Amino acid sequence: AASFLHGILEVSNAACSQMVKFQVWDQDEASDATDDKDVKRRESLVAFLRHNGFKVKTAKSIEGGYVLITFANKSDAQKALRVCSLVGADPQLPFRRLTKTTKENVNSRPCYRNCVVASESMAALALEDEVTVAAGAVLPLWTQNKNAPPIYLCTRCSVLPRGILPLVILATYRKAFRRIEDGIVTVKAKFNGALEVFRFKLPKKTRVLELLADIRNNMDKEFIPSLKGWDERQDIMDARREAVLQLMSDLTAHSAPILPVASSPPLSQEAGGLGSLSDEEGFTESDNDPIDSESA
């Protein structure tokens, strides 16, 4: 659970813009006027995108050899950024690179600072304004300035369902503590000395806590040495998988997502990060029950 948590990024101002900036190739058109060059490059790029199924709304040539493309919807802009970035700089294509026009704010865990989501990642352009991203790999990069801290490039990223993080902790981390009061679930856990506090509204007419208990009770039981056959181990894994699917289905069917309640300062806050959080509102380990001792 600690390793998973360290790769979690909280991204704000991440809403995908319908505009993507393409840098086109410098073509050998010395005899053509500058305006004619811009028109040819722009028309070639628009024709290429439409031929490949993208719905282009408008195209505008801007300084620096760029063409600003406005797509018909945000999902097309997201797909274009991801797919075209994976293609790379191919002279046979009408562009050499592309960038997004929005600038998101990325807050990371205390172990990482200056995180950047790779532009070719599926999470590079989110459709929502605030998203939680899980980075499967984090690569440190150093600049020529030796005194500057490294930049962490996050790859193999996935956008998690909103509010799913405390459920993951409740299901996998046995040192987490939980309290329920007035329909608000408070979860507290420490990872490598850093305190994490989460609050979320408990959806009505769902079996969230019961299903979490089922998942938790079956966690890693397939590795118990006393199990004799593969069938027993498979039954445990099947039961855990069914509980996860049922949990997600219940939340979707009742239109009741886990809605997080703000409780912690920004993750990368300079004054000590999450490690500076105190046991707020009298919420200490002595007056909380470990999840293992609670019945769902």
Side-chain angles (χ1 to χ4, degrees), residues 30 45 56 115 139 162 223:
L45 177 60
V56 177
C115 285
L139 177 66
R162 186 183 179 208
F223 300 109

Side-chain angles (χ1 to χ4, degrees), residues 10 37 45 62-63 72 81 114 124-125 128 138 156 195 216 219 225 267:
E10 301 292 348
K37 292 180 182 179
L45 177 60
I62 56 179
E63 295 182 0
L81 181 77
N114 301 326
L125 277 180
E128 298 81 16
V138 180
R156 301 179 183 177
L195 180 66
R216 186 183 188 84
M219 189 65 66
L267 299 180

Side-chain angles (χ1 to χ4, degrees), residues 250-270:
D250 281 2
L251 293 176
T252 303
H254 290 86
S255 299
I258 295 297
L259 298 178
V261 178
S263 60
S264 301
L267 299 180
S268 295
Q269 194 173 35
E270 293 299 328

Side-chain angles (χ1 to χ4, degrees), residues 67-126:
V67 176
L68 189 63
I69 297 292
T70 302
F71 292 90
N73 51 65
K74 294 181 178 181
S75 59
D76 262 20
Q78 183 186 42
K79 182 180 178 181
L81 181 77
R82 183 169 66 248
V83 174
C84 295
S85 294
L86 291 173
V87 171
D90 188 343
Q92 296 182 353
L93 300 178
F95 62 91
R96 60 188 305 175
R97 66 175 62 92
L98 69 165
T99 58
K100 52 187 175 182
T101 57
T102 54
K103 179 63 176 179
E104 71 277 2
N105 300 317
V106 180
N107 290 322
S108 59
R109 256 52 202 181
C111 55
Y112 299 126
R113 297 293 175 89
N114 301 326
C115 285
V116 177
V117 178
S119 60
E120 66 271 15
S121 169
M122 294 180 65
L125 277 180

Side-chain angles (χ1 to χ4, degrees), residues 4-270:
F4 171 80
L5 189 67
H6 287 165
I8 295 296
L9 308 173
E10 301 292 348
V11 184
S12 59
N13 193 31
C16 170
S17 170
Q18 293 177 228
M19 295 183 293
V20 177
K21 188 167 64 173
F22 289 79
Q23 184 179 18
V24 295
W25 292 99
D26 293 328
Q27 300 178 2
D28 186 15
E29 300 168 341
S31 60
D32 293 339
T34 301
D35 292 343
D36 293 337
K37 292 180 182 179
D38 291 341
V39 171
K40 288 183 179 180
R41 295 170 183 172
R42 185 172 64 246
E43 290 179 347
S44 175
L45 177 60
V46 171
F48 171 82
L49 292 172
R50 287 175 173 166
H51 177 73
N52 286 277
F54 294 101
K55 298 178 181 178
V56 177
K57 190 175 180 180
T58 62
K60 178 182 179 182
S61 297
I62 56 179
E63 295 182 0
Y66 288 93
V67 176
L68 189 63
I69 297 292
T70 302
F71 292 90
N73 51 65
K74 294 181 178 181
S75 59
D76 262 20
Q78 183 186 42
K79 182 180 178 181
L81 181 77
R82 183 169 66 248
V83 174
C84 295
S85 294
L86 291 173
V87 171
D90 188 343
Q92 296 182 353
L93 300 178
F95 62 91
R96 60 188 305 175
R97 66 175 62 92
L98 69 165
T99 58
K100 52 187 175 182
T101 57
T102 54
K103 179 63 176 179
E104 71 277 2
N105 300 317
V106 180
N107 290 322
S108 59
R109 256 52 202 181
C111 55
Y112 299 126
R113 297 293 175 89
N114 301 326
C115 285
V116 177
V117 178
S119 60
E120 66 271 15
S121 169
M122 294 180 65
L125 277 180
L127 300 179
E128 298 81 16
D129 192 52
E130 295 184 4
V131 296
T132 301
V133 175
V138 180
L139 177 66
L141 301 175
W142 281 266
T143 62
Q144 294 181 349
N145 184 0
K146 296 182 179 180
N147 296 324
I151 298 173
Y152 292 96
L153 181 65
C154 300
T155 59
R156 301 179 183 177
C157 296
S158 300
V159 177
L160 301 181
R162 186 183 179 208
I164 200 67
L165 183 56
L167 300 189
V168 174
I169 293 175
L170 287 174
T172 61
Y173 197 58
R174 294 191 175 277
K175 293 185 179 180
F177 288 79
R178 181 185 74 194
R179 184 178 68 183
I180 305 175
E181 185 176 1
D182 297 330
I184 303 296
V185 180
T186 304
V187 181
K188 185 179 74 169
K190 278 189 176 182
F191 300 92
N192 292 340
L195 180 66
E196 295 271 354
V197 179
F198 304 91
R199 289 192 178 96
F200 64 89
K201 295 180 182 179
L202 187 63
K204 299 179 180 179
K205 299 181 180 180
T206 59
R207 299 183 296 128
V208 171
L209 299 183
E210 179 183 344
L211 290 169
L212 284 173
D214 291 342
I215 297 168
R216 186 183 188 84
N217 293 335
N218 281 319
M219 189 65 66
D220 296 333
K221 276 192 174 181
E222 64 268 26
F223 300 109
I224 297 177
S226 60
L227 295 178
K228 297 180 180 180
W230 168 253
D231 290 341
E232 291 181 86
R233 303 178 194 274
Q234 186 65 48
D235 289 342
I236 292 173
M237 291 186 289
D238 289 344
R240 187 171 62 232
R241 182 174 62 250
E242 287 300 322
V244 172
L245 292 175
Q246 186 63 51
L247 176 63
M248 295 296 100
S249 297
D250 281 2
L251 293 176
T252 303
H254 290 86
S255 299
I258 295 297
L259 298 178
V261 178
S263 60
S264 301
L267 299 180
S268 295
Q269 194 173 35
E270 293 299 328

